[in-house]
Amino acid sequence: MARTTNRSNTGADRQWDLMRASFDGDWHGVTSWYGRDSTGMNLTRGESDPAESIYAIRFSDANTGLWHGTGLRFAPGGERRFPLFRHSYNLSNNCWHFPDTAGQSSLEMDGSVGRAGHEVNFFAGRSRSMLIALYQRREDQSMVLQSIAATPFRCKRALIDPDRPKPDSIHNIFQTITGWPGIEQELRPGQGSENSAQGHSIAGFDADSFQKYDVNGCFLDGLLCSLPGCLPQGAFDLNFGCLLNANSFVHLIIGYDEKHQLVSWVERRYQPTIDG
């Protein structure tokens, strides 16, 4: 499909190109879901879907693709497909892409909507480690964390990356990475990402910068989260992380203002030394 406009230097084009570079693949993985019980979120035992989820994402050219998912919990018949086009991609500004971290987010979490959710993907080689957090509105208009899903995807088009075991605890990971220097990048909804690759140095990792809320989980593939079980009044953020390997930890922060409107996605990438 020929391009009708020259958008090669726009933020929208950069987001499309980053999406295509990361997501192009046949992604297979078993999803584990964690939900609420009478005491709140239960992260000790997940309910695994009986079959693998498969996300086949392919591109026929630089501007056109197809997303085809099977084994999906919330899709009719467990299957859904939709076309992807450069010219119409992410018009709602809810998708976001750094070079190796990407996902989609609800732009509003103010209780005016029945549900709100986030999907965060951490890429390394041909691994895609995914966390989903879903919030539900209650009768009093508060938004409560309803479920978390974790999936260790691997791309079947390439040599399969090895499994990463579930961490013993968040504390053990934090002991390892405390003090690692980092690089920070930021995106804002609708403001493009021409300069998103221009990160700046930040102070060494401190556990208090991640572990801020009452729901703190660790999952397969080195996935972590720290989330409010019930959204507070005023500004807040949602914290997702992944220990990609012994020398790389990524912290993704989704920030909301006092009106519970999304204001930014921030990626912090930590390594034992600034040179990796």
Side-chain angles (χ1 to χ4, degrees):
M1 182 178 71
R3 297 178 64 174
T4 58
T5 58
N6 181 7
R7 305 195 312 156
S8 60
N9 294 319
T10 69
D13 257 2
R14 176 169 173 76
Q15 289 286 281
W16 167 268
D17 290 336
L18 288 173
M19 182 276 290
R20 184 174 168 230
S22 295
F23 282 95
D24 190 1
D26 291 338
W27 303 100
H28 293 221
V30 174
T31 300
S32 296
W33 289 88
Y34 301 82
R36 302 187 70 85
D37 59 23
S38 59
T39 62
M41 286 297 296
N42 183 351
L43 303 184
T44 60
R45 177 178 294 181
E47 177 186 345
S48 296
D49 287 341
E52 284 189 325
S53 299
I54 303 173
Y55 294 82
I57 306 170
R58 297 173 178 267
F59 295 85
S60 56
D61 56 47
N63 306 304
T64 311
L66 178 67
W67 185 101
H68 181 203
T70 56
L72 309 182
R73 173 171 285 210
F74 298 113
E79 183 174 8
R80 180 177 296 157
R81 66 175 71 209
F82 56 83
L84 301 167
F85 302 107
R86 181 189 292 267
H87 72 271
S88 60
Y89 179 68
N90 198 23
L91 294 179
S92 62
N93 297 315
N94 67 309
C95 296
W96 51 272
H97 302 273
F98 297 99
D100 292 298
T101 312
Q104 53 185 318
S105 301
S106 293
L107 301 180
E108 299 178 352
M109 296 186 70
D110 59 0
S112 64
V113 294
R115 289 185 176 183
H118 300 269
E119 175 190 313
V120 179
N121 297 276
F122 300 95
F123 293 91
R126 290 278 74 193
S127 298
R128 172 188 168 195
S129 306
M130 183 179 76
L131 275 176
I132 292 174
L134 300 178
Y135 281 80
Q136 180 78 38
R137 184 180 64 194
R138 296 191 293 197
E139 290 184 0
D140 61 3
Q141 305 304 306
S142 63
M143 296 291 286
V144 63
L145 181 61
Q146 190 67 29
S147 58
I148 296 172
T151 313
F153 284 114
R154 296 296 183 268
C155 180
K156 294 298 182 73
R157 290 191 214 159
L159 183 66
I160 305 301
D161 287 345
D163 292 336
R164 283 181 245 134
K166 178 180 177 179
D168 292 333
S169 68
I170 289 181
H171 176 70
N172 287 351
I173 289 182
F174 288 167
Q175 279 191 317
T176 298
I177 67 178
T178 292
W180 285 9
I183 299 292
E184 180 178 284
Q185 303 178 58
E186 180 180 274
L187 293 173
R188 291 180 176 268
Q191 293 189 4
S193 60
E194 296 90 335
N195 298 317
S196 66
Q198 304 302 314
H200 63 273
S201 298
I202 55 175
F205 180 83
D206 182 344
D208 290 340
S209 69
F210 188 102
Q211 195 167 5
K212 303 176 183 178
Y213 298 106
D214 56 316
V215 179
N216 296 280
C218 60
F219 311 94
L220 288 172
D221 252 14
L223 288 162
L224 309 177
C225 69
S226 182
L227 307 169
C230 183
L231 295 187
Q233 295 183 350
F236 68 94
D237 55 37
L238 307 174
N239 297 269
F240 301 85
C242 189
L243 186 65
L244 299 174
N245 54 53
N247 297 303
S248 183
F249 178 77
V250 181
H251 178 190
L252 193 284
I253 306 165
I254 306 175
Y256 285 80
D257 64 16
E258 65 280 356
K259 296 181 180 179
H260 290 192
Q261 306 293 304
L262 195 150
V263 293
S264 67
W265 298 280
V266 174
E267 184 206 69
R268 295 175 177 171
R269 189 168 289 266
Y270 296 93
Q271 296 179 317
T273 68
I274 205 66
D275 297 323

